[in-house]
Amino acid sequence: MIRQLSGTVVAESPAGVVVEVIGVGFAVTMPAGARPKAGAEARLATHLAFSQSGLELYGFLEAADRDFFELLLRAPGVGPKTALGILAKAPREMLAGAIARKDLDYLTRIAGLGKKSAEKLAVMLAEKMPAAVGAAGPGADGEILDTLIALGYSEREARKALAKVPAGLAGKEARLRAALAAG
């Protein structure tokens, strides 16, 4: 198993990056918005997936993101592409909290899952999720996300700003102010 790569990013693509390690270029699929730029030194936590079409290496800037990705893969009907898509749409901490609370509204609206997929994910993984998430909870962040978009942020910019809000910060107004300051 390849669990980590350290090297220089030599190329970027829509799906990820190519990391050169001792003269060998590894194609690494990564979540959008969480990729190092070409020329940067990178240390990636990785997951090697086996499929009928071959091997695919998935990379993450943090080992916690890789571990969460691997946890998502345990749910029925969730493959690597779906798990990567879920991680690209919302912060890991908020997703974990929503799954732990079985918050289907958050999972369908923010994470982009269908109702049945969200139910399966919540039922299969709720016990395995850390319960401690920001006191405001994902429902509040859904409203904050909507507010940021209404203020002119793109959905991606709004999600990035929300990801920078400290998890322990409580209250919608405080979380919105922090997101605006971060964005």
Side-chain angles (χ1 to χ4, degrees), residues 8-99:
T8 304
V9 177
V10 294
E12 297 175 63
S13 73
V17 296
V18 175
V19 178
E20 184 178 315
V21 180
I22 313 172
V24 177
F26 290 89
V28 183
T29 303
M30 296 185 70
R35 299 177 186 153
K37 300 289 181 201
E41 290 295 315
R43 183 181 195 116
L44 304 176
T46 61
H47 172 83
L48 183 61
F50 300 90
S51 69
Q52 291 177 347
S53 59
L55 303 174
E56 188 150 8
L57 194 59
Y58 292 87
F60 306 90
L61 296 176
E62 297 180 32
D65 285 334
R66 179 204 51 215
D67 296 343
F68 188 75
F69 171 83
E70 291 173 340
L71 191 59
L72 290 174
L73 293 176
R74 295 181 188 171
V78 177
K81 302 272 189 225
T82 302
L84 198 63
I86 292 169
L87 272 172
K89 292 180 181 174
R92 175 187 72 244
E93 296 84 3
M94 298 308 293
L95 288 166
I99 292 169

